[in-house]
Amino acid sequence: MKTGNHTSVSEFYLLGLSEHQGEQSLLFGIFLVIYLVTVVGNSLIILAIGSDPHLHTPMYFFLFNFSLTDLCLSSTTVPKMLVNIQAHRHTIPYAGCLSQVCFFLWFIGLDVFLLAVMAYDRLVAICHPLHYTTVMSLRRCILLVATSLVLAHSYSLTHTILLAQLSFCQDNIVSHFFCELLPLLKLSCSNTYANQCVLMYWGGALTVLIPLLIITSYARIVATIVRVPSARGKWKAFSTCGSHLSAVCLFYASAIGVYFIPSAADSVGKDRIAAVMYAVVTPMLNPFIYSLRNKDMKCALGRLLSRGAL
């Protein structure tokens, strides 16, 4: 596909995770299993929350949206990679590449904003328990999710529009397993100054400002918990936050590996591994993080599965 004078490239070639043909079958099997576990795990979380009245609370409303976002995030990259491996064709059309960038950034941004919203929910629940039902009303919860959607869409659309203005001359080999923004900017033969400025602005907001807000929230939560007189009360408060904190650490530990480790000759492989962690592995692990230590979720899943077995 050609877009006026902006590009002479009709498709991109994705190098994938490995260029060795002997490893393709192994990679296909591994990522097929990961994707199936991701789909099943997040779908069970969504169905359990949607079908169980006991889980119709703000915390699980946000978890419902978070699981749906993780499901969409994984579906943006993994199925295309599996098709490429199976068909022995590692190309993606220009328009398809832009679409993948758009949806990937949208769901990644939504993940980040929802993590911040979930931290705010825990802050209100633990630090202001008497006002929790008033503050976290259904209207407020819907507004928070809608705002996250709009902000994530703005983040994605800004990058996609700027990317569509760039020229790609001869080099169309993307050193990644999907169309990721940074490798595409390196391929462009246009001036990417505007793209880099926007990337720095949004990158700062998503990888610095949002984590600082989450850290601040948890600092207040910990300060409140340590004043709880009973050990049982402290454990109960910590247990409601442990899953969310684990998800935050897992996501940002891998994402920072992509955007803050200095570029080097051998950094391409590290970037691919880090991207696998935050874009593929993290969506698979989140259902386990939020269900294994959550008694209410385990009971809801048990009821869901027992109804399905009847």
Side-chain angles (χ1 to χ4, degrees), residues 232-252:
R232 183 179 179 182
K234 289 180 181 179
W235 170 252
K236 184 178 180 180
F238 273 121
S239 64
T240 61
C241 302
S243 298
H244 177 255
L245 199 54
S246 299
V248 171
C249 293
L250 182 62
F251 179 86
Y252 275 105

PDB file of all heavy atoms in Angstrom, residues 232-252:
ATOM      1  N   ARG A 232      -3.882  -9.562  61.914  1.00  0.00           N
ATOM      2  CA  ARG A 232      -4.828 -10.083  60.924  1.00  0.00           C
ATOM      3  C   ARG A 232      -5.330  -8.973  60.013  1.00  0.00           C
ATOM      4  O   ARG A 232      -5.464  -9.167  58.794  1.00  0.00           O
ATOM      5  CB  ARG A 232      -6.007 -10.754  61.630  1.00  0.00           C
ATOM      6  CG  ARG A 232      -7.012 -11.399  60.682  1.00  0.00           C
ATOM      7  CD  ARG A 232      -8.131 -12.072  61.452  1.00  0.00           C
ATOM      8  NE  ARG A 232      -9.104 -12.674  60.547  1.00  0.00           N
ATOM      9  CZ  ARG A 232     -10.199 -13.299  60.939  1.00  0.00           C
ATOM     10  NH1 ARG A 232     -10.471 -13.412  62.246  1.00  0.00           N
ATOM     11  NH2 ARG A 232     -11.024 -13.820  60.052  1.00  0.00           N
ATOM     12  N   GLY A 233      -5.592  -7.800  60.588  1.00  0.00           N
ATOM     13  CA  GLY A 233      -6.044  -6.664  59.786  1.00  0.00           C
ATOM     14  C   GLY A 233      -4.968  -6.208  58.814  1.00  0.00           C
ATOM     15  O   GLY A 233      -5.262  -5.856  57.668  1.00  0.00           O
ATOM     16  N   LYS A 234      -3.717  -6.199  59.283  1.00  0.00           N
ATOM     17  CA  LYS A 234      -2.614  -5.815  58.406  1.00  0.00           C
ATOM     18  C   LYS A 234      -2.481  -6.787  57.242  1.00  0.00           C
ATOM     19  O   LYS A 234      -2.296  -6.383  56.079  1.00  0.00           O
ATOM     20  CB  LYS A 234      -1.307  -5.769  59.203  1.00  0.00           C
ATOM     21  CG  LYS A 234      -1.205  -4.623  60.188  1.00  0.00           C
ATOM     22  CD  LYS A 234       0.111  -4.656  60.932  1.00  0.00           C
ATOM     23  CE  LYS A 234       0.199  -3.512  61.940  1.00  0.00           C
ATOM     24  NZ  LYS A 234       1.461  -3.536  62.696  1.00  0.00           N
ATOM     25  N   TRP A 235      -2.556  -8.098  57.545  1.00  0.00           N
ATOM     26  CA  TRP A 235      -2.421  -9.108  56.500  1.00  0.00           C
ATOM     27  C   TRP A 235      -3.535  -8.992  55.469  1.00  0.00           C
ATOM     28  O   TRP A 235      -3.301  -9.095  54.261  1.00  0.00           O
ATOM     29  CB  TRP A 235      -2.409 -10.492  57.121  1.00  0.00           C
ATOM     30  CG  TRP A 235      -2.509 -11.596  56.092  1.00  0.00           C
ATOM     31  CD1 TRP A 235      -3.552 -12.408  55.838  1.00  0.00           C
ATOM     32  CD2 TRP A 235      -1.485 -11.958  55.162  1.00  0.00           C
ATOM     33  NE1 TRP A 235      -3.267 -13.258  54.812  1.00  0.00           N
ATOM     34  CE2 TRP A 235      -2.002 -13.014  54.371  1.00  0.00           C
ATOM     35  CE3 TRP A 235      -0.180 -11.504  54.907  1.00  0.00           C
ATOM     36  CZ2 TRP A 235      -1.265 -13.621  53.360  1.00  0.00           C
ATOM     37  CZ3 TRP A 235       0.545 -12.100  53.890  1.00  0.00           C
ATOM     38  CH2 TRP A 235       0.013 -13.141  53.142  1.00  0.00           C
ATOM     39  N   LYS A 236      -4.768  -8.755  55.941  1.00  0.00           N
ATOM     40  CA  LYS A 236      -5.901  -8.628  55.035  1.00  0.00           C
ATOM     41  C   LYS A 236      -5.723  -7.420  54.119  1.00  0.00           C
ATOM     42  O   LYS A 236      -6.006  -7.489  52.911  1.00  0.00           O
ATOM     43  CB  LYS A 236      -7.200  -8.508  55.826  1.00  0.00           C
ATOM     44  CG  LYS A 236      -8.442  -8.464  54.951  1.00  0.00           C
ATOM     45  CD  LYS A 236      -9.708  -8.401  55.797  1.00  0.00           C
ATOM     46  CE  LYS A 236     -10.956  -8.360  54.907  1.00  0.00           C
ATOM     47  NZ  LYS A 236     -12.206  -8.295  55.722  1.00  0.00           N
ATOM     48  N   ALA A 237      -5.242  -6.320  54.680  1.00  0.00           N
ATOM     49  CA  ALA A 237      -5.032  -5.107  53.872  1.00  0.00           C
ATOM     50  C   ALA A 237      -3.926  -5.317  52.850  1.00  0.00           C
ATOM     51  O   ALA A 237      -4.060  -4.939  51.677  1.00  0.00           O
ATOM     52  CB  ALA A 237      -4.704  -3.933  54.782  1.00  0.00           C
ATOM     53  N   PHE A 238      -2.818  -5.933  53.283  1.00  0.00           N
ATOM     54  CA  PHE A 238      -1.713  -6.187  52.369  1.00  0.00           C
ATOM     55  C   PHE A 238      -2.116  -7.160  51.263  1.00  0.00           C
ATOM     56  O   PHE A 238      -1.695  -7.021  50.111  1.00  0.00           O
ATOM     57  CB  PHE A 238      -0.504  -6.748  53.124  1.00  0.00           C
ATOM     58  CG  PHE A 238       0.405  -5.685  53.679  1.00  0.00           C
ATOM     59  CD1 PHE A 238       0.670  -5.616  55.044  1.00  0.00           C
ATOM     60  CD2 PHE A 238       0.997  -4.743  52.843  1.00  0.00           C
ATOM     61  CE1 PHE A 238       1.499  -4.631  55.563  1.00  0.00           C
ATOM     62  CE2 PHE A 238       1.836  -3.754  53.359  1.00  0.00           C
ATOM     63  CZ  PHE A 238       2.083  -3.703  54.718  1.00  0.00           C
ATOM     64  N   SER A 239      -2.924  -8.151  51.591  1.00  0.00           N
ATOM     65  CA  SER A 239      -3.303  -9.172  50.608  1.00  0.00           C
ATOM     66  C   SER A 239      -4.158  -8.591  49.491  1.00  0.00           C
ATOM     67  O   SER A 239      -4.112  -9.067  48.353  1.00  0.00           O
ATOM     68  CB  SER A 239      -4.057 -10.314  51.292  1.00  0.00           C
ATOM     69  OG  SER A 239      -5.281  -9.859  51.847  1.00  0.00           O
ATOM     70  N   THR A 240      -4.936  -7.556  49.795  1.00  0.00           N
ATOM     71  CA  THR A 240      -5.763  -6.936  48.749  1.00  0.00           C
ATOM     72  C   THR A 240      -4.921  -6.105  47.778  1.00  0.00           C
ATOM     73  O   THR A 240      -5.372  -5.812  46.674  1.00  0.00           O
ATOM     74  CB  THR A 240      -6.843  -6.034  49.364  1.00  0.00           C
ATOM     75  OG1 THR A 240      -6.223  -4.979  50.102  1.00  0.00           O
ATOM     76  CG2 THR A 240      -7.761  -6.829  50.283  1.00  0.00           C
ATOM     77  N   CYS A 241      -3.700  -5.735  48.216  1.00  0.00           N
ATOM     78  CA  CYS A 241      -2.837  -4.907  47.370  1.00  0.00           C
ATOM     79  C   CYS A 241      -1.720  -5.708  46.705  1.00  0.00           C
ATOM     80  O   CYS A 241      -1.141  -5.262  45.706  1.00  0.00           O
ATOM     81  CB  CYS A 241      -2.191  -3.798  48.190  1.00  0.00           C
ATOM     82  SG  CYS A 241      -3.359  -2.709  49.001  1.00  0.00           S
ATOM     83  N   GLY A 242      -1.407  -6.880  47.269  1.00  0.00           N
ATOM     84  CA  GLY A 242      -0.268  -7.646  46.785  1.00  0.00           C
ATOM     85  C   GLY A 242      -0.362  -8.025  45.325  1.00  0.00           C
ATOM     86  O   GLY A 242       0.626  -7.923  44.576  1.00  0.00           O
ATOM     87  N   SER A 243      -1.540  -8.449  44.888  1.00  0.00           N
ATOM     88  CA  SER A 243      -1.711  -8.863  43.495  1.00  0.00           C
ATOM     89  C   SER A 243      -1.482  -7.699  42.540  1.00  0.00           C
ATOM     90  O   SER A 243      -0.764  -7.819  41.536  1.00  0.00           O
ATOM     91  CB  SER A 243      -3.115  -9.445  43.285  1.00  0.00           C
ATOM     92  OG  SER A 243      -3.315 -10.586  44.082  1.00  0.00           O
ATOM     93  N   HIS A 244      -2.080  -6.565  42.859  1.00  0.00           N
ATOM     94  CA  HIS A 244      -1.924  -5.393  41.992  1.00  0.00           C
ATOM     95  C   HIS A 244      -0.486  -4.917  41.958  1.00  0.00           C
ATOM     96  O   HIS A 244       0.050  -4.585  40.884  1.00  0.00           O
ATOM     97  CB  HIS A 244      -2.828  -4.255  42.478  1.00  0.00           C
ATOM     98  CG  HIS A 244      -2.673  -2.994  41.678  1.00  0.00           C
ATOM     99  ND1 HIS A 244      -2.001  -1.899  42.169  1.00  0.00           N
ATOM    100  CD2 HIS A 244      -3.078  -2.668  40.424  1.00  0.00           C
ATOM    101  CE1 HIS A 244      -2.009  -0.952  41.245  1.00  0.00           C
ATOM    102  NE2 HIS A 244      -2.659  -1.382  40.189  1.00  0.00           N
ATOM    103  N   LEU A 245       0.181  -4.910  43.110  1.00  0.00           N
ATOM    104  CA  LEU A 245       1.573  -4.472  43.168  1.00  0.00           C
ATOM    105  C   LEU A 245       2.469  -5.419  42.366  1.00  0.00           C
ATOM    106  O   LEU A 245       3.412  -4.976  41.691  1.00  0.00           O
ATOM    107  CB  LEU A 245       2.027  -4.405  44.624  1.00  0.00           C
ATOM    108  CG  LEU A 245       3.271  -3.568  44.934  1.00  0.00           C
ATOM    109  CD1 LEU A 245       3.115  -2.150  44.408  1.00  0.00           C
ATOM    110  CD2 LEU A 245       3.540  -3.559  46.426  1.00  0.00           C
ATOM    111  N   SER A 246       2.178  -6.724  42.412  1.00  0.00           N
ATOM    112  CA  SER A 246       2.939  -7.698  41.629  1.00  0.00           C
ATOM    113  C   SER A 246       2.777  -7.432  40.140  1.00  0.00           C
ATOM    114  O   SER A 246       3.749  -7.499  39.374  1.00  0.00           O
ATOM    115  CB  SER A 246       2.483  -9.119  41.962  1.00  0.00           C
ATOM    116  OG  SER A 246       2.682  -9.418  43.319  1.00  0.00           O
ATOM    117  N   ALA A 247       1.546  -7.138  39.706  1.00  0.00           N
ATOM    118  CA  ALA A 247       1.297  -6.850  38.292  1.00  0.00           C
ATOM    119  C   ALA A 247       2.025  -5.588  37.842  1.00  0.00           C
ATOM    120  O   ALA A 247       2.585  -5.536  36.744  1.00  0.00           O
ATOM    121  CB  ALA A 247      -0.208  -6.714  38.050  1.00  0.00           C
ATOM    122  N   VAL A 248       2.033  -4.567  38.699  1.00  0.00           N
ATOM    123  CA  VAL A 248       2.728  -3.318  38.375  1.00  0.00           C
ATOM    124  C   VAL A 248       4.224  -3.564  38.209  1.00  0.00           C
ATOM    125  O   VAL A 248       4.841  -3.108  37.227  1.00  0.00           O
ATOM    126  CB  VAL A 248       2.479  -2.261  39.476  1.00  0.00           C
ATOM    127  CG1 VAL A 248       3.385  -1.045  39.265  1.00  0.00           C
ATOM    128  CG2 VAL A 248       1.024  -1.832  39.488  1.00  0.00           C
ATOM    129  N   CYS A 249       4.828  -4.282  39.158  1.00  0.00           N
ATOM    130  CA  CYS A 249       6.268  -4.553  39.108  1.00  0.00           C
ATOM    131  C   CYS A 249       6.633  -5.383  37.881  1.00  0.00           C
ATOM    132  O   CYS A 249       7.638  -5.113  37.206  1.00  0.00           O
ATOM    133  CB  CYS A 249       6.710  -5.278  40.380  1.00  0.00           C
ATOM    134  SG  CYS A 249       6.590  -4.280  41.878  1.00  0.00           S
ATOM    135  N   LEU A 250       5.835  -6.389  37.569  1.00  0.00           N
ATOM    136  CA  LEU A 250       6.103  -7.244  36.412  1.00  0.00           C
ATOM    137  C   LEU A 250       6.036  -6.450  35.120  1.00  0.00           C
ATOM    138  O   LEU A 250       6.900  -6.597  34.239  1.00  0.00           O
ATOM    139  CB  LEU A 250       5.093  -8.396  36.383  1.00  0.00           C
ATOM    140  CG  LEU A 250       5.248  -9.428  35.265  1.00  0.00           C
ATOM    141  CD1 LEU A 250       6.593 -10.143  35.387  1.00  0.00           C
ATOM    142  CD2 LEU A 250       4.108 -10.447  35.318  1.00  0.00           C
ATOM    143  N   PHE A 251       5.046  -5.591  34.999  1.00  0.00           N
ATOM    144  CA  PHE A 251       4.878  -4.806  33.774  1.00  0.00           C
ATOM    145  C   PHE A 251       6.015  -3.803  33.594  1.00  0.00           C
ATOM    146  O   PHE A 251       6.644  -3.736  32.535  1.00  0.00           O
ATOM    147  CB  PHE A 251       3.534  -4.076  33.810  1.00  0.00           C
ATOM    148  CG  PHE A 251       3.283  -3.214  32.608  1.00  0.00           C
ATOM    149  CD1 PHE A 251       2.724  -3.744  31.459  1.00  0.00           C
ATOM    150  CD2 PHE A 251       3.603  -1.857  32.633  1.00  0.00           C
ATOM    151  CE1 PHE A 251       2.496  -2.943  30.342  1.00  0.00           C
ATOM    152  CE2 PHE A 251       3.375  -1.053  31.521  1.00  0.00           C
ATOM    153  CZ  PHE A 251       2.816  -1.598  30.377  1.00  0.00           C
ATOM    154  N   TYR A 252       6.284  -3.029  34.633  1.00  0.00           N
ATOM    155  CA  TYR A 252       7.268  -1.957  34.486  1.00  0.00           C
ATOM    156  C   TYR A 252       8.702  -2.461  34.456  1.00  0.00           C
ATOM    157  O   TYR A 252       9.564  -1.844  33.812  1.00  0.00           O
ATOM    158  CB  TYR A 252       7.086  -0.924  35.592  1.00  0.00           C
ATOM    159  CG  TYR A 252       6.036   0.096  35.248  1.00  0.00           C
ATOM    160  CD1 TYR A 252       4.778   0.074  35.838  1.00  0.00           C
ATOM    161  CD2 TYR A 252       6.279   1.076  34.288  1.00  0.00           C
ATOM    162  CE1 TYR A 252       3.801   1.007  35.505  1.00  0.00           C
ATOM    163  CE2 TYR A 252       5.314   2.007  33.948  1.00  0.00           C
ATOM    164  CZ  TYR A 252       4.087   1.966  34.557  1.00  0.00           C
ATOM    165  OH  TYR A 252       3.126   2.880  34.214  1.00  0.00           O
TER     166      TYR A 252
END
